Structures are given as C-alpha cells and as structure tokens.
C-alpha cells in the first residue's frame, strides 16, 4: 500500500516548550485517519507542519512521497488544508467563494465550472449558491469550507476539527462526504473532539502532551483499557456515580449520557454484582459487563500520563 | 405571572420577512438544567439573545428572572450570567484583569470584587498564575474561567451557549460537574450543546427546528415517545426529515 503521509521521529518546540515529542505514524493512500486528544496535545502543530506552514527542525515529514521541507510548492498543490478557523469571505456568495479559491489554486478555466458542479453535487449547496457565506448555518459553512479546500482536487486532505460547533445531523452528513472522498482514493487526516466520529475512522491515533499514546483501529483501542468495565443503567446516574466513587473496589467511574461506566480490577462475581445493586443509593435497572470503548480508554490513558 | 426563571408565551422574532423564531413557549423552573437543542441555524441564538435582553422580540410576551423581556432588558442583564465558548474572555488580558473587567461590568464594589477574585482564582487552582495572559491558558481552564466571570455577580440564571464546543471528553465532564453544582445551589442553567451525551444530563430539553420547538420533555420521556435509545437518535429522528 502506498504511503501518503509519513511522519518519522517528528518533534517540535516552541520557545523551549515541547509541543510534539518524537512521534511517528504513516497514513496509506485512501485511508481515513483520525487524530484525537485534548486541547494542547500537539494535533494542530502536527497538521500545520505537514502542510508546510511551520518549519520542521527535527524528524522527517513527507506527503505523497515529497519531503515537507524541500517541496513546499509541489506539496501545497496536492493537499487541501482546512484549519480550525477556515476563512470564508462572509460578504461573498457561496459561488463567489468557490470561484475565488479556484482562481487562488489555479484551476483551469475550462475545468472550473465542472468542478463546481461536482462539489455542489456532494455538498448539496447548489440551491444556496447565491447566498452570502455569512448567512449560512454553521453546518453549511463547514461544507462550503470543505468544498473550497477540495477545489483543486487534492490527493491528501488535512482537516483540523472540521465539525466543532456543528449539529449532529450536519455532522453525519459531513462524515458521509468524507467517507465518499475516502472511497474515491483521497487520503484524509482529520482531528475531532467527538468520540463518535473517531469510531468512523479507519485508524486513530490518540495524542496527549505531544506523544502518541495509542494508535490502532478504533474498535481495537479499547484493548488498552486495563480493567473490567461495567455499564449501569439507573434513573439517577449522578447519585450512582457519587456513591461508586467512594467504593474502594471501584477503579474508575464516569457518566456516559444516561449510563454510568464503572471499572473494577477483575470481573465481578454474581455475588459482588448483587451486593453493588443492593447497596446502591438509587435503584439500578441493569448492570452488565461491556467492552471498553474509545472514550473509556481516552479518559484512562489521559490519567496515566498526568 | 407564575414564578419561573424563564417564561415565554408565543415569543417570536422577524428579521424583515424571515421569521427566525416562531411561537416560543417556555417555562423553566429555578434550579433546573434546561437543554436548548437544535440544528445550526434553527434560531437558538436569536432566542437566547431575546431572553438575555439583547434583542427586542417582534411578538408574544415573556419574563426572565421575573423581569419583562420587552421593557426591562437592562434589569435582566444584571440578573443573569451569560457565557459562550466563542467570545467571553479577552485573550490579551491577564487572568486577573479579565476577572476585574467582568467584576466592573457587573458593578461589583471593590472589596467584594477582590474577595470574589481571590475565591475564583483559588477554585480554579490558578492563584499562582493570576498575571498570566489568558491566551496562554489551556482551553479547559479558559472555559472554567469564563464561567467564573459570568458568575461574579451571583446570578440566579445562567445562559451557556455551547460552553463545551471543541473540548475533550474529560474537560467536558469536569465542566458538567460545575453545572450540576450550580443547579444544586438553586441556579437555573439554560444550556445549548451539540454533544448529545450532554443532552442526557439535562432535566428537560427542547429541540428547535426551523424557528420552532418541535419537542420538549425530559430526555427519558423523549426517548420513550420516539422509540429511540439515545438523545442522539432522538435528535436525528426529529431533525433529519
């Protein structure tokens, strides 16, 4: 498989602060790769360095086989980068924004309008093409920004939290577009604070404090969780959490929506389960052992590096 | 008028010929965590701006903290807290300067402000970093500082507009612990979010679609009513049509 993004022993300092510490990873052509991790983990620094926007002092970075340090111009014509705050022109219409970016990236005139049609086709923005960008909803703005990023048909897409502040329906739509691009052979590196989106990636890397703490398929990340995990259903999850936090046998306890996830060193016996249910301050409707998910593992790995 | 933290009857807002909010009916209790959900562009921000006394409604009636939305906007502003992830803090001010700025805006007397400042810095664990530029704080701290600033005048009602946007799962949980603590003190928390696990933490939620509230109930009741297992599924079921 062809490697489209290669990072080898990459480190980055800002005024003596190590933002990224010796990370290595590679993304294959047509792979949808997710970067997750808390604010300040080094995700944006890594992405900006790949996009030739930051000087690289330590380590090797390459995109479609081109050295990020030496091939700035060639790389820029082959990647699309959508930063966290993508700048659309608010006083230009949807179509004017697209045409502006087409000219910026030197899309030939004869191809320009066909490309717009293709982008309208997947973004469903055509009915709004005369609308000013500032009058678009948050989800539509992000789709327009993505369309502008795609105007020159890049082979590699680098997207920094493209769906932050976007509602669940628009997010789902946005990810259907990403999957379609991936199926067409585009390589995508995307960061996200939403764990349900991390599950949609082919592989994810979990970054924290400049390091990669885990790198695997999303359904395999849970193997790193060191305890036996239980899901508890109750109408008062807050009270169940507070109660379990004071129990010495409980390793971790977190609320997940209307459920509580609690972990123990070993799987519980039927008797131990019954005791927990009996001594709970609020009725427990159900308690069962579950496979740890990406969010359980995220919370645990973060704690281990503190 | 009954004693609700937020009460509206058929509140509406036109921008020219476009009706951004239609017949908004809300009755939010003191001490309630109320989730105000909706798609991007559904009219949530317009509605919140009316409730905060920042935008004159076109029709209907309503009161926040007992003050009339149409006539007593200034009083409302003094009795509520407002925090948005996007533009609450001044990045080029230090942490203590931000606190002093907000204390000034809310008209706190000097001794009261100094005491509040000390408490807040201590709560945040930032007493040693008081003169650090806000820009240099990690996002999770910024959010807690922004919330602290919005609470300096001890408001009974707090409006939080996407307070956890872009924040990691751990920081979001920490923030929600603060929300639960506020509600236990009797404060009303009126919160918007795009994280549907957070919708589950609210006492009641409303879902807004094209300017109208199309569902309003406790999360358990909504899941039951629409035959869905999570609020994420309820939201998609109602909005994606």
């Amino acid at each position: 498989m062809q490697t489209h993004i290669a990072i080898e022993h990459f480190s980055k300092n800002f005024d003596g602060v190590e933002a990224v510490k010796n990370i290595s990873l590679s993304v294959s052509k047509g792979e949808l790769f997710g970067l997750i991790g808390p604010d300040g983990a080094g995700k944006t620094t890594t992405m900006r360095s790949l996009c030739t926007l930051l000087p690289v002092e330590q380590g090797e970075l390459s995109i479609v086989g081109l050295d990020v340090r030496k091939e700035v111009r060639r790389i820029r014509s082959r990647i699309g980068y959508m930063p966290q705050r993508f700048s659309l022109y608010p006083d230009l219409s949807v179509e004017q924004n697209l045409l502006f970016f087409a000219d910026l990236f030197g899309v030939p005139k004869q191809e320009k309008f066909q490309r717009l049609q293709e982008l309208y086709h997947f973004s469903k923005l055509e009915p709004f093409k005369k609308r000013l960008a500032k009058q678009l909803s948050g989800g539509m703005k992000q789709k327009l920004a993505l369309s502008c990023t795609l105007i020159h048909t890049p082979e590699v897409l680098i997207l920094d939290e493209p769906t932050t502040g976007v509602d669940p329906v628009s997010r789902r739509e946005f990810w259907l577009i990403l999957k379609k691009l991936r199926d067409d052979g585009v390589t995508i590196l995307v960061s996200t604070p939403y764990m349900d989106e991390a599950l949609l990636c082919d592989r994810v890397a979990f970054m924290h404090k400049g390091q990669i703490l885990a790198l695997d398929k999303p359904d395999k990340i849970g193997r790193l969780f060191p305890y036996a995990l239980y899901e508890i259903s109750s109408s008062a999850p807050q009270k169940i959490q507070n109660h379990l936090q004071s129990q010495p046998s409980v390793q971790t306890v977190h609320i997940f929506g209307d459920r509580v996830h609690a972990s123990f060193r070993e799987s519980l016996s039927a008797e131990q389960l019954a005791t927990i249910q009996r001594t709970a301050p609020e009725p427990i409707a159900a308690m069962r052992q579950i496979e740890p998910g990406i969010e359980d593992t995220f919370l645990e790995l973060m704690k281990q590096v503190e | 008028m009954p004693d609700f933290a937020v009460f509206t009857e058929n509140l509406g807002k036109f921008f020219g010929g476009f009706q951004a909010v239609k017949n908004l009916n809300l009755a939010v209790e003191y001490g309630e965590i109320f989730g105000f959900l909706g798609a991007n562009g559904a009219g949530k921000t317009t509605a919140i701006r009316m409730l905060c006394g920042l935008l004159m409604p076109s029709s209907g009636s309503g009161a926040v903290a007992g003050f009339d939305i149409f006539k007593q906007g200034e009083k409302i502003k003094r009795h509520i807290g407002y925090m948005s992830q996007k533009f609450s803090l001044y990045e080029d001010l230090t942490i203590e300067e931000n606190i002093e700025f907000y204390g000034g805006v809310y008209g706190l007397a000097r001794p009261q402000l100094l005491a509040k400042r000390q408490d807040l810095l201590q709560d945040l664990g930032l007493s040693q970093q008081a003169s650090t530029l806000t820009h240099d704080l990690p996002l999770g701290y910024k959010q807690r500082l922004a919330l602290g600033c919005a609470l300096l005048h001890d408001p009974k009602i707090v409006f939080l507009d996407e307070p956890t946007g872009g924040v990691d799962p751990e920081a979001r949980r920490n923030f929600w612990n603060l929300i639960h603590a506020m509600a236990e003190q009797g404060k009303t928390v009126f919160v918007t979010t795009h994280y549907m696990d957070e919708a589950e933490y609210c006492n009641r939620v409303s879902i807004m679609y094209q300017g109208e509230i199309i569902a309003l109930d406790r999360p358990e009741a909504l899941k039951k009513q629409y035959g869905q297992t999570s609020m994420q599924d309820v939201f998609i079921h109602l909005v994606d049509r």
Side-chain angles (χ1 to χ4, degrees):
Chain A
M1 188 97 68
Q2 206 180 336
T3 297
H4 255 183
I5 300 175
I7 302 177
E8 281 170 50
H9 302 293
F10 170 61
S11 298
K12 181 76 193 172
N13 296 303
F14 293 108
D15 301 329
V17 178
E18 248 187 325
V20 179
K21 300 173 189 168
N22 192 21
I23 64 164
S24 298
L25 67 86
S26 69
V27 183
S28 303
K29 176 175 175 3
E31 190 175 23
L32 177 49
F33 193 99
L35 272 185
I36 56 174
D39 182 56
K43 306 186 298 289
T44 298
T45 301
T46 302
M47 289 182 153
R48 289 178 58 85
S49 302
L50 283 169
C51 295
T52 72
L53 297 171
L54 289 173
V56 175
E57 292 101 11
Q58 286 170 280
E60 304 293 328
L61 301 181
S62 72
I63 296 222
V64 290
L66 301 170
D67 187 327
V68 165
R69 267 182 290 207
K70 295 178 191 145
E71 309 268 9
V72 174
R73 282 185 164 273
R74 286 172 72 192
I75 286 179
R76 286 194 186 172
S77 67
R78 294 174 72 172
I79 62 169
Y81 171 52
M82 188 170 150
Q84 268 178 37
R85 288 181 193 167
F86 188 87
S87 302
L88 293 165
Y89 288 84
D91 293 326
L92 294 185
S93 69
V94 167
E95 184 157 77
Q96 286 167 332
N97 267 289
L98 287 167
L99 290 172
F100 172 80
F101 280 94
D103 290 341
L104 198 63
F105 282 98
V107 177
K109 203 171 179 182
Q110 58 274 27
E111 288 172 27
K112 211 155 54 178
F113 285 92
Q114 200 207 325
R115 187 67 189 143
L116 249 59
Q117 284 311 313
E118 289 166 12
L119 293 169
Y120 283 148
H121 179 72
F122 79 64
S123 67
K124 301 194 178 85
L125 284 174
E126 189 158 27
F128 309 99
K129 66 182 180 187
K130 299 286 176 214
R131 193 179 282 192
L132 296 186
K134 67 179 172 195
Q135 287 164 347
L136 297 175
S137 72
M140 287 205 281
K141 269 186 199 146
Q142 293 308 89
K143 282 199 292 187
L144 177 56
L146 179 65
S147 300
C148 292
T149 307
L150 289 168
I151 195 85
H152 57 301
T153 328
E155 295 152 76
V156 176
L157 264 185
I158 296 181
L159 311 172
D160 198 355
E161 294 197 7
T163 54
T164 290
V166 174
D167 72 66
V169 171
S170 304
R171 285 206 290 125
R172 201 174 58 157
E173 220 173 61
F174 194 93
W175 274 81
L176 286 174
I177 296 174
L178 293 191
K179 287 206 155 182
K180 184 165 181 317
L181 288 167
R182 189 264 319 264
D183 293 344
D184 291 344
V186 178
T187 306
I188 305 173
L189 180 67
V190 57
S191 65
T192 177
Y194 295 94
M195 293 302 117
D196 58 339
E197 294 183 348
L199 284 175
L200 301 174
C201 298
D202 297 319
R203 286 189 302 152
V204 294
F206 173 58
M207 282 187 83
H208 186 36
K209 300 196 169 173
Q211 292 167 283
I212 293 177
L213 299 185
L215 195 165
D216 214 328
K217 292 181 178 149
D219 57 345
K220 299 276 164 48
I221 293 268
R223 290 192 294 207
L224 295 168
F225 191 81
Y227 308 116
L229 187 68
Y230 287 80
E231 180 190 76
I232 300 162
S233 308
S234 161
S235 56
Q238 198 75 31
K239 285 183 183 151
I240 298 285
Q241 182 194 33
N242 294 345
H243 166 71
L244 289 174
Q245 257 161 356
S246 63
Q247 303 296 306
S249 63
V250 176
Q251 298 300 314
T252 63
V253 51
H254 295 291
I255 294 188
F256 278 67
D258 60 346
R259 312 283 160 88
V260 178
H261 287 191
S263 69
F264 303 84
R265 278 205 191 284
E266 308 283 340
S267 293
L268 300 173
S269 65
E271 195 182 330
Q272 287 170 311
L273 268 174
T275 308
I276 288 169
Q277 305 221 23
R278 201 177 55 238
T279 54
E282 293 286 328
I284 287 177
M287 180 166 177
R288 63 186 184 105
Q289 188 162 6
I290 56 168
E291 291 294 325
I294 201 160
E295 190 159 340
D296 299 294
T297 313
F298 183 122
L299 292 165
E300 183 56 26
L301 289 175
M302 263 183 79
K303 215 171 57 186
Q304 291 178 358
V305 191
E306 292 304 324
Chain B
M1 199 174 283
D3 189 25
F4 286 107
V6 176
F7 186 81
T8 67
E9 269 182 328
N10 297 325
L11 201 67
K13 179 68 190 177
F14 275 94
F15 291 112
F18 173 67
Q19 195 168 10
V21 175
K22 300 169 195 168
N23 296 330
L24 184 68
N25 290 296
L26 291 173
V28 181
E29 313 246 1
Y30 283 103
E32 184 170 10
I33 302 175
F34 189 86
F36 195 58
L37 314 180
N40 299 119
K44 297 191 302 290
T45 302
T46 302
I48 289 178
R49 292 184 62 204
M50 290 195 286
L51 297 177
C52 293
L54 297 170
L55 185 68
M56 186 60 79
S58 309
S59 57
S61 62
V64 170
F67 298 108
D68 189 312
I69 293 181
F70 284 81
K71 295 177 197 145
Q72 296 175 294
E74 286 309 312
K75 285 208 165 116
I76 290 176
K77 284 180 213 165
R78 261 177 277 144
H79 286 83
I80 60 163
Y82 172 82
M83 177 214 157
S84 142
Q85 200 234 315
K86 285 164 202 150
F87 21 66
S88 284
L89 296 173
Y90 290 88
E91 300 256 312
D92 294 334
L93 294 184
T94 66
I95 296 169
E96 57 186 353
E97 284 168 346
N98 262 303
I99 300 173
E100 290 193 26
F101 172 80
Y102 278 97
V105 167
Y106 291 126
L108 263 60
R110 191 76 193 158
Q112 199 190 356
L113 173 57
L114 293 179
K116 283 268 182 187
R117 188 181 74 183
Q118 198 182 350
D119 289 350
L120 179 53
L121 287 171
Q122 211 157 12
D123 284 350
L124 293 169
L126 292 173
S127 299
Q128 304 305 312
Q129 288 88 26
S131 49
T132 305
L133 279 188
T134 306
H135 174 266
D136 298 331
L137 273 181
L139 189 59
Y141 276 94
K142 270 186 207 165
Q143 272 156 331
R144 286 163 57 201
L145 175 61
L147 179 64
C149 288
L151 296 174
L152 282 170
H153 56 309
D154 200 20
K156 278 273 176 61
I157 306 167
V158 192
F159 289 87
L160 306 175
D161 195 1
E162 285 186 44
T164 55
V167 174
D168 72 73
E170 167 141 303
R172 291 202 291 119
R173 282 179 174 76
N174 291 339
F175 197 89
W176 272 86
N177 286 337
L178 299 177
I179 291 181
H180 286 297
M182 285 192 285
E184 271 166 34
Q185 291 164 19
K187 290 191 198 301
T188 303
V189 181
F190 194 96
V191 59
T192 73
T193 180
H194 288 308
Y195 292 93
M196 290 302 117
D197 57 337
E198 296 182 352
E200 312 268 5
Y201 308 153
C202 300
N203 300 120
R204 287 189 302 154
V205 301
S206 66
I207 296 178
M208 207 166 178
Y209 180 71
Q210 295 187 350
E212 281 180 278
I213 286 184
I214 54 172
L216 193 164
D217 212 327
R218 290 174 298 115
E220 313 87 84
L222 289 175
K223 281 182 275 185
K224 204 167 166 191
Q225 182 181 350
Y226 295 104
Q228 306 292 336
T229 53
S230 68
M231 279 307 296
Q232 173 105 358
D233 293 338
V234 170
F235 187 95
I236 290 172
H237 173 78
L238 285 170
V239 172
D240 193 15
R241 54 184 191 181

